Amino acid sequence: VSRADDHERYVEAVLRRVEQIPPGRVSTYSAIAAAVGRGGPRQVGLVLAGYGAAVPWWRVVRADGSLPPAHRPEALARYAEEETPLVDPSANAVRVLMAAALWTPASVD
DNA sequence: GGGTTGACCAATG
DNA sequence: TCATTGGCCAACC
């Protein structure tokens, strides 16, 4: 297969895992990378940056439950809708309560 | 072929 | 709790 097709398949695989995250739950870049079985967290980030518009990208957060500064406002509104468990002791930095909200995507389709 | 850049991670102070 | 450091994987000059 061509490299372009390969890339397209990878994108597809990543988006599928993101889609399967239920409302009110979140997953991490590294967990998705592991589930896809290829590439790394950064690759997942790149895919979402380029093709993530069609999927609930706000349900993908960093390993510590924090999220990219640029998406804080948007993601926060979504979390309010979906009642995603948050932890913000000082309300300074917003993080998802990983212990309760973490979703592990299936490693096989 | 080599350097730079990301919606990243884990360890360390 | 926050900032720094080195490592990571692939895409893109």
Side-chain angles (χ1 to χ4, degrees):
Chain A
V1 288
S2 74
R3 197 160 49 74
D5 287 341
D6 203 43
H7 175 262
E8 189 177 340
R9 237 200 312 279
Y10 180 72
V11 170
E12 203 179 319
V14 169
L15 295 185
R16 239 191 342 258
R17 312 307 160 142
V18 176
E19 281 173 343
Q20 66 180 193
I21 305 173
R25 307 293 294 280
V26 299
S27 191
T28 68
Y29 295 98
S30 65
I32 291 179
V36 170
R38 164 145 85 109
R42 313 193 71 143
Q43 276 45 249
V44 174
L46 286 181
V47 168
L48 289 184
Y51 309 84
V55 297
W57 49 261
W58 58 88
R59 296 182 194 146
V60 182
V61 302
R62 291 186 181 169
D64 65 352
S66 65
L67 31 80
H71 296 140
R72 230 169 53 140
E74 177 68 17
L76 221 48
R78 301 295 187 169
Y79 294 157
E81 279 182 41
E82 302 178 356
E83 298 178 355
T84 305
L86 299 180
V87 48
D88 44 40
S90 316
N92 197 334
V94 178
R95 279 179 300 167
V96 174
L97 182 57
M98 297 306 275
L102 181 60
W103 170 268
T104 303
S107 50
V108 198
D109 309 64

